[in-house]
Amino acid sequence: MAIRFNAATLEKIEKIVEESGYMIRFERGTFQSGYCILESKKVVVLNKFLQLEGRINTLMDLLPSLNIIPENLSPESRKMYEEVMGKLAADDKEA
């Protein structure tokens, strides 16, 4: 199943991050990857100038590096998390 790049998808991915105890902030900055993780404070800072698709891609890229326990997510978030992780695994196999 393909992941759609729309506002609803962005909200679902943001919810995964937030349910894992992280706060998402959109700030100006010089982020080479489009984001910065302040692990000790569980804050994810995204470049506020990223467009919708860029925000979704950036959040998807950083999900594997966050300490996310799928069992602690709501059923809806767990489903989306598994979908995203499956897509990332499939993309890795193609590369």
Side-chain angles (χ1 to χ4, degrees), residues 9-76:
T9 300
L10 178 60
E11 285 178 26
K12 289 177 184 177
I13 296 174
E14 286 176 345
K15 189 174 177 187
I16 293 168
V17 174
E18 290 166 355
E19 284 183 12
S20 299
Y22 290 85
M23 179 176 33
I24 299 174
R25 292 180 20 201
F26 295 93
E27 304 279 342
R28 268 178 61 172
T30 54
F31 310 104
Q32 286 204 300
S33 56
Y35 66 90
C36 171
I37 303 171
L38 305 172
E39 195 62 52
S40 62
K41 295 185 180 188
K42 292 191 107 174
V43 174
V44 174
V45 183
L46 295 178
N47 185 336
K48 76 177 193 172
F49 297 112
L50 287 173
Q51 298 300 314
L52 179 73
E53 187 172 338
R55 288 180 182 198
I56 292 170
N57 282 326
T58 300
L59 284 170
M60 285 175 51
D61 288 345
L62 71 85
L63 279 181
S65 63
L66 299 178
N67 185 21
I68 295 177
I69 302 167
E71 294 76 30
N72 294 345
L73 299 174
S74 67
E76 180 184 319

